[in-house]
Structures are given as C-alpha cells and as structure tokens.
Amino acid sequence: MSYQDHTLTDQVSEQNAPIGADPTGPEMFGHPKGLFYLFFAELWERFSFYGMRALLVLYMVNNLFESFANRDEIAIGIYAAYGALVYATPVIGGMIADRLLGYRKAIMLGAVLMALGHFALAIEHPVFFYGSLALLIVGNGFFKPNISTMVGTLYKEGDTRRDAGFTIFYMGINIGAMVAPLICGWLGMTYGWHFGFGAAGVGMLLGLIMFWQGSRSGVFGSNGLPPEPAVIKERVAGVSKEAWVTILSFLSLPVFGLLLFNGTLDLPGFGETIFDGSIMHIVMNYILLPVIALVLIYNLVKVDSVERQRLFVVILLTFFITVFWSFFEQAGSSLTLFAERNVNLTFMNAAQTNSINPFFIILFALPFSAMWVFLSKRRINPFTPVKFALGIAQLGIGFLIFAWSANYADADGRVSIWFLILGYMFITTGELFVSPVGLSKVTELSPKKIVAFIMGIWFLSSSFAHYIAGIIAKLTAVSGTEGEAATGMASLLVYTGVFEQIAYVAFGFAVLALLLTPIMRKWMHGIH
C-alpha cells in the first residue's frame, strides 16, 4: 500500500479540521469513539480496494483478454488509466463535499458506488468490467478524501492526541491493505475470480455498514454535516441539488468507462472508433498538464520573491515524488506479472505478493518515526531534498535486486521469492523517506492563499505517476502467440532488463536531487 494514502488525506484533514469541528462526544481508549468507527470503515474500504487491485491485472491477462496476443499491453494500459483516474477524482469529490454535501453524505455516496462496483466486477463480462471500474473511480472520489477529513474534525485544534489518532487510523489503512491481497488473492486464484472480487465487495459493504452505524449512533456529533443544509435541498429543474450530485455521478460513468476502454465501438455519427488509451493521453498531456502549468505560472508572478522561491521548491518536490510513484506503481502491474511468471512462489500466489509492501510499512513506520525524532534532537535530521534523494536511491536498489535475480534463476527462468521480498523492503524504506514528509513540506512551503490548490496538484501527481507507470510497464509486455504469454527465460530477461533500467534512472534522479539540494535548501528560507 502507498503511504501516500495516509499522508495525503492526513494533511488535508489537518488543514480542514477546525472548520465546523465538534470535538465533544464519547471517548474510547482515550480517543473520540468516532475514531474507531472511522478506523474500521477505512480498514474495510482499503481491504476492498487493495483486494481488487491485487487481482485486476492477473484477471485481465489470464481471463478477460486471454485470447489477445497483446493482452499484457492492454491490461497494463487499463490498469494505469484506472490508477490515474482513481487519484484524480478525489480532488473533485473533496470540493463537492466541502461546498455542498458535507463529508458524511459524500462518504455514504462513495461507499455505495464502490460497493456496487466491486460486486459488478464479480460478474465476468466486459460491460460489467468497465462499468465496475467506473463506479470505483467515481465512488473513490467521494469516499477517499472525506473520511480522513472526518478524523481531523474529531479533535480540537492543537489537541495533542491528534497525531496518535491519525496513527491509529493509518494502521487501519495498512492492515486492510496487507490482509486484502492474502484473502482476495487466495479466493480469486484458488476458487475463481468472482470469489476474489466478491470478497472485496463484501469488505466494502462492511465498511459502508460501519460508517452508517457510526453516523446513526451519534458518535460523530455534528461533524461532517452539509455546510449549508438548506442549499442541498434547493431544486434545480425540479430536482434537489443533492439528488443532482447522485444523478451526475451515474451519468459520468460512461465517460470514465470510455477513458478505460480498449477496443472498437460503433459510435453514432462516428462509426467504428478504436479506443486504445489515446483519449487518456490527450486528457493528461494536452488538457490537464497545460492547465496546471498556466495556473502555476500565474501564481508565480503574483507572489513575492520568498514565496516564489518556496513555490519553486514545491514544484521540484512534486516532480521528484511523481518520479518516485511512477516507478513504485509497477507493484500492481509488471511486478505482479513478474511474480506470476518468474518467481518461485513457495508460500503465496502472485496476487498475494501485493501484501509485502504494506507488511513492511506496518513493520517500519513507527521505528522510522522514532528515528526522525532521534536525529532531530541531535540536529542531524537530513533536509527534505536529501531525504528525497535517499528515498529514490533506495527504490533504485530495490529494482536492482529484482534485476540481479536473473543471475540466480533456475532452468525454468524462475528466481527465489526472497529476491522479491528483499526488493520490496528497499522500495518500502524508500517510500518512508519521501512520502511521510513530502506533503507536510508542501503545505508548509506553499503560499497560504493557494495551499488548497497545491494540495490538489499533489493529489494529481499520483494520477500522473500512474499514467507514466503504465508507459513504463508496457515495456515489460511479453505476451507472445495468441492465448499464450512468453514465460521462462524469455520473460525473465524482459522483466529484469526493464527493472535494471528503472534502477539506473532512479539513481540518476537521486543524484539530481542531491545536486539541487543546496539551492532548494536556500530557497526554502529556513524551513527544514
């Protein structure tokens, strides 16, 4: 699981917590009782998300597109587009919750859409496949940014329990992320895909029930209610604004489905149209990126020299985190296929290997936090750019270990699972160097008037990273003749060759971050 799932929403929550916060109410184990309802709601939601994700590429390659010669490329492209959209929609969902629905209604709507999506995915048919992914994308947009914001509203500003509360909540995220591939992966690859996807759906349903029960019991107090209750009831064309949000959410599903679709459709007025990811390419490179660039340039001109230099540092950090996630997000695609085809999986299957990263997150998160405190007390805590350089370098070491494994392959082109585990360990330690501190510094360095916008860009950096990750992962596509995929030494050399290139490029970006450290440190103007 990506530590970004915690750090992104944690920082958003801390920014928004004082607004309408109602920190009074019953407590449990020294924390607001509502925290534990949110803990289990998020745990089960992440169970559903990561359980489905662990199976997605394998399902496409081995079932849905099994007869296609280029099935790897199709599956990787769809997976990348899905990941990009999943991290783009929370920006919209958060805005709708802030201005209209309130957090509770947004979370409930998102949970219902995602539950429908997971259960639809259990029906093995292309129409249900694309429709289910669209439901998950839209539902995640409403659920993900708002449930963590709810955690922030449970504590008064300056409450010393806040960090501990988010740590508890964060552990729920990682428990769900670790357990899900083990259970859903086992069910899906042992008894059938629909069992694995169905289990993910059950997890989402449990998360929905848990949040609904918390709302019903009153443990959230007045937190998360619509900012202006009368406004959501206002009618437009005879329909309330609240109902319009739901209607438009369902009307948007075909749009997201087309962004994911790979194949040929007979469209009225256009005839037979080929969809191969080019629409997603246009949206990311010719619409979203230029708009972000123009807004950044506009704000760079408006701010004073200190703010401008700090904003340049933010842009550089966002660039480096995008590079990091672009390599990191091979986990759900090329690394999963590598595990299936070229790793001796002695005690887990390919889908279950997706639990290795969250396992190491749980193992190392608290020791890393203690380490930063220890280093700070001795005034030797590395500056943020140095941490980024070290984090990217460790990711490079992880991929170099994957690449080196080819030297120890057996006659069938399979390597020991310990290479996979050791590589993931270095990737995870790299993640802990960059992700927990990244957004904290972004919010600290950004001009106060545009903090929300910069946080939105940070969200979108993950979206761009998934898109780039797909381009990289397609280099590993090894499908051969129709219905068959290259295996053994043929696939091993392809995978490890790309992993080696990723390692060297990562080392290059790590060196670049180190070279830029003096000027970034100067432009941070006293911020560590």
Side-chain angles (χ1 to χ4, degrees):
M1 164 249 153
S2 304
Y3 200 109
Q4 61 188 326
D5 280 338
H6 168 61
T7 54
L8 291 175
T9 48
D10 184 345
Q11 294 296 329
V12 172
S13 302
E14 293 196 24
Q15 290 290 324
N16 294 336
I19 302 176
D22 177 21
T24 60
E27 292 190 357
M28 179 185 291
F29 303 119
H31 286 273
K33 193 173 181 180
L35 172 67
F36 298 94
Y37 283 91
L38 297 175
F39 169 91
F40 284 108
E42 178 70 348
L43 185 155
W44 285 113
E45 186 274 331
R46 289 292 89 181
F47 175 93
S48 69
F49 179 85
Y50 284 99
M52 181 280 293
R53 199 184 81 154
L55 290 168
L56 187 56
V57 169
L58 294 169
Y59 168 65
M60 287 189 281
V61 167
N62 297 322
N63 185 288
L64 193 62
F65 304 112
E66 184 179 13
S67 63
F68 290 70
N70 63 334
R71 59 181 183 164
D72 275 21
E73 188 174 348
I74 294 172
I76 288 168
I78 292 172
Y79 176 84
Y82 168 73
L85 292 170
V86 156
Y87 280 97
T89 52
V91 178
I92 302 171
M95 290 173 59
I96 293 173
D98 277 334
R99 300 179 184 182
L100 185 64
L101 289 183
Y103 305 133
R104 291 197 209 180
K105 289 182 180 292
I107 291 167
M108 288 296 294
L109 174 59
V112 169
L113 291 172
M114 293 174 76
L116 290 173
H118 283 297
F119 285 120
L121 195 56
I123 303 173
E124 298 179 14
H125 188 279
V127 172
F128 285 95
F129 174 74
Y130 289 108
S132 65
L133 292 185
L135 281 164
L136 292 171
I137 289 166
V138 178
N140 184 76
F142 285 109
F143 189 98
K144 188 61 192 168
N146 296 308
I147 189 165
S148 294
T149 304
M150 281 286 293
V151 176
T153 65
L154 298 176
Y155 297 91
K156 293 180 181 179
E157 187 173 1
D159 192 328
T160 56
R161 300 174 301 167
R162 176 188 292 271
D163 287 349
F166 272 108
T167 299
I168 293 170
F169 183 72
Y170 156 65
M171 294 306 289
I173 293 174
N174 280 283
I175 291 170
M178 184 183 72
V179 173
L182 298 176
I183 295 177
C184 296
W186 170 66
L187 288 171
M189 300 192 72
T190 304
Y191 296 103
W193 303 107
H194 53 284
F195 284 102
F197 291 131
V202 170
M204 189 64 247
L205 196 58
L206 289 172
L208 169 61
I209 292 170
M210 184 60 64
F211 184 80
W212 175 78
Q213 183 62 33
S215 296
R216 186 168 168 268
S217 66
V219 296
F220 300 142
S222 61
N223 295 314
L225 297 175
E228 298 182 55
V231 174
I232 66 171
K233 296 179 181 178
E234 292 177 358
R235 305 184 81 80
V236 178
V239 179
S240 69
K241 289 184 177 179
E242 181 180 1
W244 269 118
V245 173
T246 303
I247 292 169
L248 292 174
S249 296
F250 279 97
L251 290 177
S252 70
L253 296 179
V255 176
F256 287 108
L258 283 177
L259 288 171
L260 296 169
F261 184 72
N262 191 293
T264 302
L265 287 178
D266 190 359
L267 298 178
F270 293 92
E272 287 196 350
T273 305
I274 297 175
F275 291 87
D276 56 1
S278 56
I279 296 180
M280 193 70 184
H281 174 77
I282 292 170
V283 170
M284 299 297 287
N285 293 302
Y286 298 105
I287 299 177
L288 199 54
L289 193 58
V291 168
I292 291 173
L294 287 172
V295 176
L296 279 175
I297 292 170
Y298 173 75
N299 282 287
L300 282 168
V301 173
K302 286 184 63 178
V303 297
D304 62 39
S305 60
V306 172
E307 290 179 321
R308 186 178 302 117
Q309 290 180 348
R310 285 178 171 174
L311 192 53
F312 271 122
V313 175
V314 170
I315 293 170
L316 287 171
L317 292 178
T318 305
F319 168 75
F320 284 118
I321 200 69
T322 303
V323 170
F324 183 91
W325 294 130
S326 297
F327 297 150
F328 177 94
E329 289 301 337
Q330 299 303 305
S333 54
S334 64
L335 280 173
T336 300
L337 292 175
F338 169 66
E340 182 187 43
R341 293 166 179 166
N342 292 105
V343 177
N344 282 314
L345 300 170
T346 52
F347 47 84
M348 60 174 62
N349 61 41
Q352 292 175 319
T353 61
N354 285 269
S355 67
I356 299 173
N357 169 245
F359 166 77
F360 279 125
I361 286 285
I362 293 173
L363 184 65
F364 291 141
L366 293 180
F368 265 70
S369 296
M371 180 180 70
W372 299 137
V373 173
F374 176 83
L375 293 176
S376 292
K377 287 180 178 179
R378 284 152 183 78
R379 298 184 179 181
I380 54 174
N381 193 10
F383 280 85
T384 297
V386 176
K387 288 181 180 178
F388 269 59
L390 294 173
I392 296 172
Q394 288 171 80
L395 178 138
I397 292 171
F399 276 95
L400 198 59
I401 290 170
F402 298 146
W404 280 346
S405 68
N407 297 317
Y408 303 92
D410 61 21
D412 296 321
R414 290 187 176 271
V415 303
S416 170
I417 191 174
W418 293 107
F419 284 104
L420 193 69
I421 292 172
L422 186 61
Y424 264 120
M425 187 190 75
F426 276 99
I427 289 174
T428 305
T429 57
E431 182 184 356
L432 289 168
F433 265 78
V434 299
S435 188
V437 299
L439 189 60
S440 173
K441 295 307 168 190
V442 168
T443 54
E444 198 173 357
L445 290 164
S446 300
K448 300 304 179 186
K449 294 181 180 179
I450 58 169
V451 170
F453 170 70
I454 299 300
M455 285 195 294
I457 290 179
W458 191 270
F459 270 103
L460 290 175
S461 72
S462 297
S463 180
F464 276 101
H466 276 80
Y467 172 72
I468 298 168
I471 296 173
I472 297 170
K474 284 182 180 181
L475 299 174
T476 67
V478 295
S479 293
T481 58
E482 186 172 332
E484 297 181 0
T487 56
M489 283 296 179
S491 62
L492 178 66
L493 294 177
V494 172
Y495 285 120
T496 56
V498 173
F499 295 156
E500 185 175 16
Q501 293 177 54
I502 290 174
Y504 293 143
V505 173
F507 293 147
F509 279 111
V511 171
L512 178 61
L514 282 177
L515 292 175
L516 290 174
T517 292
I519 191 169
M520 292 174 71
R521 180 177 173 181
K522 179 182 178 182
W523 285 355
M524 291 169 77
H525 292 281
I527 294 177
H528 190 85

